[in-house]
Every structure is written in structure tokens, then in C-alpha cells.
Amino acid sequence: MKTSHPFLLLTFFAALAAGCAQHSGSDVVVGSDQRGGTNSNAGAGMYGSNANNGPDFSKYKTYSWASQVTNPQNSTYFLNDLLFKGMVRDAVEHEMAAKGYTYQPTGADLVVNFRSFDEPVEIMSNDNLGTGYWASTEPYAYDSQQKVKLDKGSILVQMIDRAKGTAVWQGYASGLTDGNVFDKNKDKVYVAVGQIFKEYNHRGDKL
């Protein structure tokens, strides 16, 4: 009859306990809001509950970055960490390409912007996004009727109809933390952004 070595059993249970403790940490919560309220997670939607008033997503084929995303010196909205900013941008870029959108430096159908929050925040207006988050050449009035509460460790992605200057979609992931600090692990960031884009049910191509 085979017997298990006590040291091996102790090592196994210690590893199991460590894994459970890690799993029991903060879970990432994902949500989105779409103009017209066609997304079930959006409540009344960004611009009311009538989906007929929403934009025609089939017309969006290209996207540009908001100016502060392309500014190589701007880390204000990315926890003052340019490496982290690049990580999130690459993850969003990957998801936009996977959705069939073509990047266009200027004049694209959509303007894409994003930022991170290390503390809980309630988005009610442009003031909560930060002065300069949208440049003067990117007019956008936030719909104050759609309040979004984000927990600490959040990534917010927004899409703006460039021609109309209105938000058509935003997605977010909250709870991306390691203890009390923002978890900047590349794999976890990519997974979180991927989860955000699972909420986006449109494509820029015919697939």
C-alpha cells in the first residue's frame, strides 16, 4: 500500500490555500452603456430608452484615437504611468481590430478614448472625466442623466460619433486591483479590456 509523504501533503494544501486566497480577492465587474438603450446592461441607455433614436452602428468602419491618447507625454488619465497607458492602448487597439475596425489617424467615424481610475468614482459630467480629457477640437457633452459608478481599479473605454460629437457607447471594467492598488499586470489588463469589448455587439466589417 502506497503512503503519501507528509511534507508533500503539506506543500499541496499550502498551495491550494494560496490559490483560494488569490481567487477570493476582488473580482472584475464589467458593464456598458449604449446610446438608445439596446444593451441590457445599460438600464435606460445613454440617451434614453428608445432604441430607434440610437445611431446606426453599421455605418462605423474606422476609428481614431482621442488626442490625449496619442500625446506621448500625457499620462494624467493613466495613473501617471506611460507604460501602463501604452499597455491599455495596445489592448484596446487589439480589440478594435478584432471587431473589424480600421485605424485612421484623423477624420475617422469613431473617436475612441479611455482612462483609468484607481479610486471609486461616479461619472456624471465631463468634469468627472477630467479637464482636457476631451480636447477643444473634440466637442462632446456628457449626458448627465446617465450616471456611471465605478469601483476602484477601473478602466473606462468610450466611443464618440466624430461627426455628431455624441457618445454612442462606453464600456468599463472595475475591481482590477491587487490589494489596495491598481493591478497593472499585462495579462490581467488584456483580459479586462477583452471583457469590456465582449459587451460591444457591433463590427466594423461585414463578418
Side-chain angles (χ1 to χ4, degrees):
M1 181 178 178
K2 294 183 178 179
T3 58
S4 299
H5 196 287
F7 177 76
L8 293 179
L9 284 175
L10 182 61
T11 303
F12 170 77
F13 285 115
L16 181 62
C20 292
Q22 183 177 6
H23 179 71
S24 63
S26 299
D27 293 326
V28 174
V29 177
V30 180
S32 65
D33 300 299
Q34 177 173 300
R35 183 178 180 185
T38 59
N39 190 311
S40 60
N41 292 332
M46 296 185 72
Y47 288 79
S49 59
N50 186 357
N52 293 327
N53 292 331
D56 183 359
F57 279 85
S58 66
K59 294 182 179 180
Y60 301 138
K61 307 297 182 184
T62 59
Y63 77 97
S64 301
W65 291 120
S67 58
Q68 56 92 10
V69 175
T70 58
N71 184 341
Q73 303 302 320
N74 189 332
S75 63
T76 304
Y77 309 110
F78 314 101
L79 312 180
N80 294 315
D81 188 336
L82 289 174
L83 291 177
F84 175 67
K85 171 185 176 179
M87 186 190 307
V88 178
R89 181 182 59 211
D90 291 345
V92 173
E93 183 178 53
H94 172 79
E95 295 298 331
M96 291 296 290
K99 291 289 186 179
Y101 290 92
T102 301
Y103 174 71
Q104 188 172 306
T106 59
D109 303 322
L110 294 170
V111 178
V112 178
N113 206 357
F114 61 87
R115 71 160 300 177
S116 302
F117 301 92
D118 55 353
E119 297 293 337
V121 65
E122 183 175 64
I123 307 296
M124 299 173 58
S125 68
N126 280 348
D127 293 337
N128 302 118
L129 292 170
T131 304
Y133 178 73
W134 296 108
S136 59
T137 57
E138 300 162 345
Y140 161 52
Y142 195 86
D143 179 16
S144 60
Q145 294 182 350
Q146 182 63 30
K147 300 178 182 179
V148 178
K149 292 183 178 181
L150 301 177
D151 201 353
K152 61 182 179 180
S154 295
I155 296 174
L156 173 70
V157 180
Q158 296 179 303
M159 296 184 188
I160 307 301
D161 183 314
R162 184 191 60 80
K164 297 181 180 180
T166 57
V168 293
W169 186 86
Q170 65 183 10
Y172 40 87
S174 294
L176 195 64
T177 58
D178 182 6
N180 291 321
V181 299
F182 200 109
D183 193 343
K184 300 178 183 178
N185 178 277
K186 183 177 180 178
D187 291 338
K188 293 182 180 180
V189 168
Y190 265 74
V191 168
V193 173
Q195 290 176 327
I196 292 173
F197 274 86
K198 284 183 179 179
E199 299 280 310
Y200 185 74
N201 301 316
H202 308 283
R203 296 191 61 87
D205 53 23
K206 296 181 180 180
L207 295 181

